Each structure stands twice: as C-alpha cells, then as structure tokens.
Amino acid sequence: MMNDIKSVLYSEEMLRQTVAELGAKISADYRGRNLLLVSVLKGSVVFMSDLMRSITVPCEIDFMAVSSYGSGVKSSGTVRILKDLDRDIRGYDVLVVEDILDSGKTLNYLMDVLYARNPNSIRICTLFDKPERREVDIYADYKGLTVPDEFIVGYGLDYAEHYRNLPFIGVLKESVYQK
Ligand code: IMP
Ligand code: MG
C-alpha cells in the first residue's frame, strides 16, 4: 500500500490539530443549539469520528451515503442517494460533515435535498477544500485545509475503495490511476 504513495501531505499530528481547531469553533458556535452532525459516507467517517469527539456541546449524529464517483478520480455529476437519514431534520441545526469539497457537485445536490426538508439551519464542515476544481457555486462554513489539485488518499479518503485506512494524508502516484 505504501508503495503507491508519492508523498505524505499531512501527518497524523497535523490532522489532529486541524480537527481540534474545527471542533473548538463548532462548539463555540453551536452552544444552546440543536446540533445534528450528518456524515457523508464513506469518505468522512474517520474525520467524523475524530470531529465529534472534539465537539464539547451536545449533539446527535446521522449518516447519509451518496455516490458520485464510482471508482474513478473525477466526479460524474450524477449523484444518487444510497442511504438516507434515519430521521426528520425539522428543528435541527444540521452540520453536514464532508471529507473533501472538490467540484462541489455532490454537496450542492445534497444541500438542495436537505434544505427542502426545512431544518432549523444547515451548514457545511469539510476537512479538505480543493478550490481550483470547483464547478458549482458552493462554499464551506467550516474548512480545515486547502489542498492542491492532486488526488489524495488516507484518513477516510479512497481511490477505488482502497487506502481509507491510512492514518495520514498521502498523494497517490499517478501511475496507480493511469493503469
Ligand atoms: P465533488 O462532487 O467533486 O465535490 O466530489 C466530492 C467527493 O469526491 C468527496 O466526498 C470524495 O469522496 C471524492 N473526492 C474528491 N477529491 C478526492 C481526492 O483527492 N481523493 C479522494 N476522494 C476525492
Ligand atoms: Mg470517495
């Protein structure tokens, strides 16, 4: 697995620090609110599990699964809901937790769907942002790190469902996805 990694972009320590800062900001902003963290599977599970433990105000969690990529490296533009939320989100202050905001198509679609369900409020928290690749007008209310236009893996992020278990963020060798 390590042979496929060109370089380490963010170490475990760097990720820990970034997530702690996000958790502190969210905790301050959501004091006295009705916070529901919505994790977008599967990429955001590692981030979600660290983020929720760095949030010090009461919150609930839920999960959604959408597919946009298949197993490639580029967004197809078609988004499908594979697993929906378990609950009605009216009355909740929803915070959508994403791994990475790339073209923005996935989140743009998801935000429309969730907004139409009339939550109290809805915001986005993304660990990584790749602004150079944005194709739709969407921004994150909370973002961890801005990344260059390279395909990254680890800490939940995959290429063809692999590498999610790497504890750091690595840049994948081009030779891996040009095969
Ligand atoms: P978007 O619709 O183009 O914004 O795609 C968002 C989704 O694409 C993310 O939730 C990831 O699952 C995936 N993605 C985008 N860029 C990367 C990357 O560099 N590595 C791994 N997955 C990525
Ligand atoms: Mg993915």
Side-chain angles (χ1 to χ4, degrees):
M1 186 162 62
M2 287 303 296
N3 284 339
D4 298 342
I5 304 300
K6 185 161 74 176
S7 60
V8 175
L9 191 59
Y10 299 115
S11 65
E12 288 186 71
E13 181 48 37
M14 180 70 193
L15 293 170
R16 193 159 31 238
Q17 206 178 304
T18 304
V19 174
E21 282 165 19
L22 287 172
K25 262 188 233 158
I26 292 164
S27 302
D29 292 354
Y30 284 87
R31 187 161 297 130
R33 307 290 293 272
N34 193 20
L35 177 59
L36 175 67
L37 299 174
V38 171
S39 163
V40 185
L41 294 170
K42 303 170 216 167
S44 76
V45 282
V46 180
F47 175 41
M48 175 76 158
S49 72
D50 283 342
L51 182 70
M52 61 190 275
R53 285 176 291 175
S54 72
I55 290 175
T56 54
V57 295
C59 70
E60 295 177 39
I61 65 167
D62 209 337
F63 297 88
M64 251 182 125
V66 297
S67 94
S68 59
Y69 268 46
S71 60
V73 293
K74 265 183 133 180
S75 200
S76 61
T78 336
V79 181
R80 265 193 319 141
I81 294 183
L82 304 177
K83 184 227 172 285
D84 208 336
L85 299 174
D86 295 338
R87 74 194 72 209
D88 185 342
I89 57 174
R90 270 176 294 186
Y92 281 102
D93 293 297
V94 174
L95 184 59
V96 176
V97 177
E98 250 288 34
D99 51 356
I100 185 166
L101 196 48
D102 190 44
S103 74
K105 287 179 187 167
T106 310
L107 221 44
N108 196 45
Y109 169 83
L110 204 60
M111 291 301 277
D112 284 349
V113 168
L114 295 178
Y115 195 76
R117 297 179 187 179
N118 292 308
N120 230 6
S121 68
I122 181 159
R123 284 184 175 172
I124 297 170
C125 175
T126 187
L127 179 54
F128 300 111
D129 188 16
K130 252 191 215 176
E132 283 173 57
R133 303 243 317 164
R134 202 61 37 84
E135 287 176 43
V136 296
D137 191 19
I138 189 168
Y139 72 96
D141 303 276
Y142 302 92
K143 67 176 167 199
L145 298 157
T146 300
V147 295
D149 184 9
E150 282 183 295
F151 202 79
I152 58 173
V153 292
Y155 199 73
L157 288 100
D158 74 304
Y159 170 66
E161 296 297 329
H162 283 92
Y163 314 103
R164 294 192 197 276
N165 55 323
L166 289 173
F168 55 84
I169 290 289
V171 178
L172 201 59
K173 285 181 184 161
E174 283 88 358
S175 59
V176 176
Y177 51 83
Q178 278 161 4
K179 259 180 230 164

